[in-house]
Amino acid sequence: MKILIIGTGYVGATTAMVFAETGWQVTGLDIDAGKIERLKQGRLHFHEPGLEALIAKHVQSGRLQFTTDKEIAIKEHDVIFLCVGTPSLPDGSADLRYIRQAAEDIGRSMKGYKLVVTKSTVPVGTQEKIKKWIESAQQAAYPFEVASNPEFLREGKAVKDALNPDRIVIGTDSQRATEQLKKLYWPFVCPWIVTTPRTAELIKYASNSFLATKISYMNELARLCDELEVDVTEIAEGMGLDPRIGSSFLQAGLGYGGSCFPKDVSELVMTSRKHHVHLGILEGVMEVNRTQYAYLLDKARSRLTSFADKTVTILGLAFKPDTDDIREAPALRIIDQLLLEQANVRLYDPIAALPPHGSYRAVKVCTSAEEALRGAEAIILCTEWPEFERLDWKKAKKLLGQPNFFDGRNMMNAKRMRRIGYYYQGIGKA
Ligand code: UDX
């Protein structure tokens, strides 16, 4: 079986690597010629630890190829994975235009049997739509199947997650598709869930929304912890030891960002509204997340009285460490608000860059944390890059205008920071 991957973003590039690594012949297809040119040279267009080296290895061995020629690629491959983006529309529901485009391309170019597998996160019912889109574009009634196979990898840990999945979920009503997929995933030893396409699609949304719920729950609780003078990190530790709760995703902070949680929670809420079901918990999850960055900004504003003409240093721009992805990053919302309130904003992130919008020209982008800290009257830590924890904060104090530290990720040791003379505020760390 030769595998075609349509879309070479985080999920597509990683999936291509996984199948090449497990011995299959793989082709990556994208409409973006620039991305494909880089990939042909074994270079990635985003930062993901370990992925570029594995892609380069398989490009060199010839097991992994890249192309922009969809017609030939679709004709030559029997198994096609859809890994294109499903961004949010203004109303919060998922935009399926790239999925539809890929499905119609497949329909138009196919000349024999195809197994089409959806890895992109798509709303419940999309598998049925994909079938119709393929059918309507077909020139003759060639047989095909569409299965759902959601991907659970995290950015920054994509290689490890994709090569060691904790479960493989397959949504299909076809025995033939199940057998083909079991063959494709032959080396993986993990639980399999073979179910209906709708169930597989919903498992992905339900999982991401549940993780987002854990985060918003802790963020809301952190606000109470501040009032009660209790440390939310200790609460998380005490809760996490209960195996029914688990210790992960209990870290209070500026809220969840990235390309998945915000859009997936929002799409699930939109789906529920369309079906006249009220998902009140998830509405609350979104509301906590929407206001969480402002919660920390309020603390900083009341310390400085006003942000106008004050120098504020932002440490970290990426939505989380080990990625250069700034989609839905809380740091961006904080910077926007600071600029609106006439602050002088200084920024340092080890790898992420600001979007090229005119308004961000007012931000002083620095090449080291030390440079960014010069003259700061407030520091707001937005991403928990390990180098921020390692910094000599005693020495750094001499660079500052005022030692005010607002830790949006509860990364630093609060007691130590206060002992060495910082006015330190985290989230739920009163
Ligand atoms: C997520 C899911 O984990 C993954 O399974 C899915 O396939 C895609 O979406 P990702 O967006 O890469 O992965 O990042 P993740 O590590 O899950 O973090 C998401 C956000 O939650 C980040 O903004 C992170 O800072 C935040 N977070 C995470 C918290 O605020 N607290 C936590 O305890 C954990």
Side-chain angles (χ1 to χ4, degrees):
M1 278 186 286
K2 280 166 69 188
I3 302 169
L4 177 65
I5 311 284
I6 304 188
T8 58
Y10 284 95
V11 171
T14 310
T15 306
M17 174 281 291
V18 166
F19 286 124
E21 190 72 4
T22 48
W24 298 103
Q25 191 66 39
V26 186
T27 304
L29 170 73
D30 206 293
I31 48 170
D32 185 329
K35 278 186 196 171
I36 290 297
E37 265 324 297
R38 285 176 77 101
L39 285 163
K40 277 181 176 173
Q41 295 159 24
R43 284 164 53 227
L44 264 186
H45 45 280
F46 54 88
H47 176 85
E48 183 58 48
L51 184 56
E52 192 171 67
L54 287 171
I55 287 190
K57 177 176 117 183
H58 292 299
V59 167
Q60 240 175 13
S61 73
R63 213 181 278 164
L64 185 50
Q65 291 172 334
F66 292 96
T67 181
T68 51
D69 191 334
K70 50 189 176 190
E71 214 182 305
I72 294 183
I74 290 164
K75 261 188 220 141
E76 285 180 352
H77 295 78
D78 298 336
V79 182
I80 305 175
F81 279 82
L82 299 182
C83 299
V84 295
T86 51
S88 284
L89 287 166
D91 70 357
S93 61
D95 183 351
L96 292 180
R97 93 176 74 162
Y98 304 110
I99 290 279
R100 181 177 184 155
Q101 181 66 54
E104 289 175 349
D105 286 341
I106 293 168
R108 250 191 310 277
S109 300
M110 66 195 286
K111 293 277 179 276
Y113 172 80
K114 304 283 168 198
L115 169 60
V116 179
V117 190
T118 314
K119 266 218 179 278
S120 310
T121 303
V122 291
V124 177
T126 303
Q127 185 258 10
E128 294 142 51
K129 286 185 181 165
I130 295 174
K131 275 186 171 174
K132 287 196 186 116
W133 289 330
I134 294 178
E135 256 160 24
S136 64
Q138 276 187 325
Q139 287 162 3
Y142 298 110
F144 70 92
E145 259 133 0
V146 183
S148 167
N149 171 215
E151 178 54 60
F152 298 96
L153 63 83
R154 291 163 295 178
E155 289 182 25
K157 294 192 170 66
V159 171
K160 183 175 159 278
D161 284 356
L163 290 174
N164 306 280
D166 40 31
R167 77 280 214 197
I168 294 174
V169 177
I170 303 293
T172 176
D173 25 38
S174 142
Q175 187 58 29
R176 181 176 179 182
T178 308
E179 271 154 27
Q180 270 184 293
L181 283 161
K182 286 211 161 163
K183 207 166 151 194
L184 282 180
Y185 281 111
W186 66 271
F188 295 101
V189 183
C190 68
W192 275 74
I193 295 190
V194 180
T195 182
T196 65
R198 281 180 171 236
T199 309
E201 287 163 346
L202 189 53
I203 285 174
K204 174 68 197 253
Y205 281 102
S207 302
N208 274 1
S209 298
F210 184 73
L211 293 171
T213 303
K214 282 181 100 176
I215 297 169
S216 276
Y217 175 74
M218 292 314 290
N219 284 340
E220 199 170 44
L221 201 68
R223 301 181 193 184
L224 179 63
C225 287
D226 273 336
E227 292 305 315
L228 299 177
E229 300 194 358
V230 166
D231 184 340
V232 73
T233 340
E234 286 182 36
I235 302 293
E237 199 186 336
M239 287 168 63
L241 290 171
D242 182 333
R244 292 169 304 171
I245 297 174
S247 58
S248 60
F249 283 75
L250 296 182
Q251 207 183 309
L254 286 172
Y256 57 80
S259 64
C260 295
F261 285 1
K263 104 177 151 62
D264 293 353
V265 177
S266 153
E267 164 53 42
L268 191 53
V269 166
M270 285 306 291
T271 298
S272 74
R273 285 185 193 157
K274 275 180 211 150
H275 290 84
H276 310 291
V277 175
H278 179 56
L279 293 188
I281 293 176
L282 287 187
E283 304 253 9
V285 166
M286 290 202 296
E287 181 57 17
V288 172
N289 204 57
R290 194 184 63 76
T291 51
Q292 190 65 2
Y293 81 96
Y295 179 70
L296 189 69
L297 264 188
D298 287 348
K299 289 189 187 205
R301 191 187 298 100
S302 53
R303 175 71 177 170
L304 299 181
T305 323
S306 138
F307 286 127
D309 299 322
K310 300 279 168 46
T311 301
V312 181
T313 293
I314 304 296
L315 291 182
L317 175 64
F319 85 95
K320 66 172 190 177
D322 279 333
T323 178
D324 56 357
D325 196 342
I326 60 163
R327 282 175 287 179
E328 302 288 335
L332 277 179
R333 292 194 217 162
I334 289 183
I335 293 171
D336 289 342
Q337 188 59 33
L338 288 171
L339 292 175
L340 204 69
E341 295 185 40
Q342 316 287 326
N344 303 315
V345 182
R346 297 172 76 82
L347 166 71
Y348 169 67
D349 186 287
I351 54 168
L354 278 171
H357 295 166
S359 60
Y360 293 125
R361 265 191 232 122
V363 176
K364 168 77 184 146
V365 179
C366 303
T367 52
S368 71
E370 286 84 352
E371 186 197 345
L373 292 175
R374 258 177 243 288
E377 290 157 283
I379 302 161
I380 305 182
L381 188 148
C382 295
T383 317
E384 64 276 39
W385 285 103
E387 69 170 84
F388 298 151
E389 204 176 12
R390 290 195 301 262
L391 210 121
D392 184 342
W393 285 102
K394 213 168 167 180
K395 210 164 128 197
K397 229 175 99 201
K398 299 194 184 93
L399 302 169
L400 306 173
Q402 283 181 46
N404 292 318
F405 197 112
F406 299 91
D407 188 347
R409 294 294 171 188
N410 289 346
M411 185 188 202
M412 313 304 294
N413 181 322
K415 279 191 190 139
R416 180 169 183 272
M417 292 301 274
R418 287 174 184 144
R419 198 172 54 240
I420 61 177
Y422 282 86
Y423 172 83
Y424 176 90
Q425 286 281 318
I427 291 177
K429 301 285 284 182

